Every structure is written in C-alpha cells, then in structure tokens.
C-alpha cells in the first residue's frame, strides 16, 4: 500500500518504521519475559516501558507477534540492517526456551545466523545466534545439524574471548547429548562447562552470572545421572539446583528442577511424590505460559497416575 500511494521512498520509510517497531516490541517483551538471562539483548533506545503484568503475558505477546517478528528479521536482512536482524533473533530466546514454536522460529534463526556469520564472524553475536539455532534444531530432533551449530557457537564465543558464552555453548552441546541418550557424554560436557566457569574471577565480566550458570549445570548433571541410573546422585544435584533457584526467586527454573525431581522419583518407583512435584511445576509454568513444558508435565502426570494405580 505504501508503494502504491507513496512510491519507493515512502514504501522504504514505512518498512523501516515497521521493523523498528517490532525491534522495540520484541526486546521489551523479551526483557520482561526473562530478565535474568544475559542472552536477552539490552534495551533499545526509545523502547516503551515494561507494561506487562507478568512474564507469562510477555511470552504470550512474543508468541502472538511471532509471524510478524519472523518477517521483520527477513526484512531487516533484505534492507541491509544486520544489527537489527541479529537483535530481533536474540529477542526470540525467551519464546524458544519457554513456549517452543520451533518450526515457526527456524527460518528467522537461520537468517539471523547467516547474517551474523557474514557481518560479525567470531563475535558474541554470532556465538549467541549459533547457540539459539542449535537449541531449536535439537528440539526438532535434527541432531547432526544441532551439534554442528553448538560447535560453531563454542568456536565464536572462544574467538570473542567470551568465557561465559563459551561455557554456555558447551552446555548446549551437553543438552544435545541428553536428547540423544548419550548420558555419559552429556555429563562430561557439563563438567567441562563447569570448569570453564571456574576461569571467571570475581572481578571479571560475567562474574555475577556464574552462580546461576552453575545451578543450571547442577540441574543438567542430575538429568544425565538419572539417565545413567544413578538416582541418588541425580537427586542430590537437582536438589542443589532447586535450592539455588528458589533462593534467586527464579520461578521458571524452579519449576524445571521440580520436573527433574519428579522424573527421578518416578524412576525410583515413587509415583505419589513425583505427582506432587509435577503438580507444583505445572502451576508455576502455567503462570509463565511455558506451554511446551506444561504439555510435557501433563504427560508425565499421566505416567505418575498410571503407576499409582
């Protein structure tokens, strides 16, 4: 319509305004949905204030706007705005993590990663986009490609000297190994990531993020140990993570640790305890609109109920 009424210049200006609108919207929503994560981009100048009633509402806004956000990424790339394309993709991380929508997200992540490789090779931005793409590919069970993307994330984070990002990239590789039931390999990845975090001193960049990153790795170690049948050790690791997340007031990761504990209790033939943990996790994640995890928990709950009968 802008092209018909105002010509090429008017069309270009209208498109630029639309992309900038979605950039501000996505970053604001992402920061409201997952404020504790360093993966969420910094606030964009002239962005609106946080007008969301809660994290779940912010996740829902990202989900509702997803088709437009994917189109905005493609348009930013076409209009030669690489910073905008990359930032839009990074703002999709809370939606990926909590609600999924991986098939819909995939085209945007592929574009963003290609832009980052072309314009910002060996940078933190490239590492972040490769990690996000690895996560979605893993969820879509495209294991070989996901592994290559996780390795690329580690390569770029290492090149950028970003220790916190390097540990996270190695963690992503471990998560992929979990999905492949390669539990011993996964555990080794989490140990390696933990060792990388030990290289961040108290005055170094990212030091404030280390306790949270360690808690995440403790949770994942527990998951790997459960897969290896070492249930008592698995429970110890996950309970340490749960204590840390409760202390930090992180509802989402508290619920994810509760889910892990439910799985451990179910594997240990304790369905009643598992059911109680699953119910608590469902309540928390429903408030966060973390739909993909709630769906999984409902299936887990059915398994718990079947064992009780």
């Amino acid at each position: 319509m802008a092209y018909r009424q105002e010509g090429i210049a008017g069309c270009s200006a209208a498109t630029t305004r639309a992309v900038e609108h979605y950039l501000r919207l996505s970053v604001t929503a992402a920061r409201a949905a997952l404020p504790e994560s360093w993966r969420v981009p910094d606030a964009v100048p002239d962005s609106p204030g946080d007008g969301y009633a809660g994290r779940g509402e912010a996740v829902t806004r990202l989900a509702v706007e997803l088709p437009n956000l994917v189109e905005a990424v493609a348009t930013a790339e076409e209009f030669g705005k690489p910073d905008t394309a990359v930032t839009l993709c990074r703002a999709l991380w809370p939606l990926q993590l909590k609600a999924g929508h991986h098939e819909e997200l995939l085209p945007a992540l592929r574009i963003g990663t290609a832009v980052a490789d072309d314009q910002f090779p060996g940078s933190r931005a490239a590492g972040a986009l490769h990690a996000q793409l690895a996560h979605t590919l893993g969820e879509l069970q495209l294991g070989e490609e996901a592994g290559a993307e996780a390795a690329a994330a580690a390569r770029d984070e290492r090149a950028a000297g970003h220790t916190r990002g390097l540990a996270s990239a190695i963690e992503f590789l471990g998560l992929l190994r979990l999905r492949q039931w390669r539990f011993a390999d996964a555990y080794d990845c989490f140990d390696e990531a933990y060792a990388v975090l030990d290289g961040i001193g108290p005055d170094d960049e990212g030091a404030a993020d280390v306790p949270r990153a360690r808690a995440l790795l403790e949770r994942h170690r527990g998951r790997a140990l459960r897969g290896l049948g070492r249930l008592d050790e698995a429970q110890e690791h996950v309970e340490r993570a749960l204590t840390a997340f409760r202390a930090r007031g992180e509802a989402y990761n508290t619920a994810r640790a509760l889910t892990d504990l439910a799985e451990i209790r179910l594997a240990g033939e304790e369905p009643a305890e598992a059911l109680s943990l699953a119910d608590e996790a469902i309540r928390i994640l429903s408030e966060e609109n973390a739909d993909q995890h709630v769906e999984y928990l409902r299936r887990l709950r059915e398994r718990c109920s079947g064992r009780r009968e």
Side-chain angles (χ1 to χ4, degrees):
M1 186 177 294
Y3 174 74
R4 290 197 301 271
Q5 293 183 2
E6 302 181 42
I8 294 174
C11 178
S12 177
T15 302
T16 297
R17 288 195 301 271
V19 171
E20 289 175 351
H21 163 76
Y22 283 110
L23 176 66
R24 291 191 296 271
L25 182 155
S26 63
V27 172
T28 300
R31 292 178 63 81
L34 196 64
E36 64 274 9
S37 176
W38 59 266
R39 289 194 172 279
V40 174
D42 294 334
V44 177
D46 301 321
S47 293
D50 180 3
Y52 296 99
R55 298 183 180 205
E57 183 178 325
V59 171
T60 296
R61 184 64 187 275
L62 288 169
V64 168
E65 297 286 358
L66 181 54
N68 291 321
L69 294 173
V70 172
E71 187 65 28
V73 171
T75 303
E77 187 274 335
E78 182 181 351
F79 272 56
K81 297 180 179 295
D83 286 305
T84 299
V86 168
T87 303
L88 280 162
C89 286
R90 290 185 59 204
L92 295 172
W93 173 239
L95 184 64
Q96 285 180 265
L97 182 68
K98 294 187 175 184
H101 299 281
H102 297 291
E103 290 185 359
E104 296 89 342
L105 285 161
L106 186 57
L109 295 176
R110 289 197 187 280
I111 291 171
T113 303
V115 168
D117 280 344
D118 182 61
Q119 298 292 321
F120 316 112
S123 67
R124 297 182 180 193
L129 265 292
H130 279 293
Q132 285 182 238
L133 182 54
H135 175 80
T136 279
L137 290 168
E139 292 292 336
L140 294 173
Q141 300 183 22
L142 298 171
E144 184 174 347
E145 190 178 357
E149 292 298 330
R155 175 202 66 205
D156 289 337
E157 297 286 15
R158 187 178 285 108
H162 188 205
T163 306
R164 175 183 55 185
L166 174 59
S168 183
I170 297 168
E171 176 189 343
F172 271 97
L173 185 59
L175 292 172
L176 178 60
R177 299 292 178 255
L178 278 184
R179 294 188 187 98
Q180 297 169 331
W181 294 11
R182 296 168 56 181
F183 301 116
D185 291 340
Y187 192 90
D188 289 344
C189 286
F190 301 140
D191 266 0
E192 183 182 353
Y194 209 96
V196 171
L197 289 173
D198 287 342
I200 299 177
D203 298 322
D204 293 342
E205 181 192 14
D209 296 308
V210 169
R212 179 174 183 267
R214 285 177 172 156
L216 287 167
L217 288 169
E218 283 292 275
R219 181 186 153 228
H220 298 324
R221 280 170 160 171
R223 297 171 67 194
L225 289 166
R226 178 177 63 84
L228 292 169
R230 296 159 58 180
L231 299 184
D232 290 343
E233 294 173 78
Q235 184 168 328
E236 290 175 6
H237 282 281
V238 175
E239 284 179 344
R240 282 198 289 271
L242 178 60
T243 298
F245 291 133
R246 286 197 193 278
R248 294 175 61 86
E250 284 199 38
Y252 171 79
N253 278 315
T254 293
R256 299 292 285 133
L258 288 168
T259 302
D260 298 332
L261 279 179
E263 291 176 321
I264 292 167
R265 292 297 186 89
L266 187 59
E269 301 296 333
E270 298 177 274
E273 292 80 358
L275 185 62
S276 175
L277 292 163
D279 283 343
E280 184 180 356
I282 287 172
R283 178 185 59 77
I284 295 170
L285 291 171
S286 294
E287 293 174 358
E288 298 257 336
N289 287 338
D291 296 339
Q292 64 176 345
H293 302 306
V294 171
E295 182 181 348
Y296 173 79
L297 276 160
R298 286 176 177 149
R299 295 196 301 270
L300 179 63
R301 195 181 189 286
E302 290 175 1
R303 290 164 53 203
C304 294
S305 299
R307 291 282 186 88
R308 291 181 69 189
E309 293 171 1

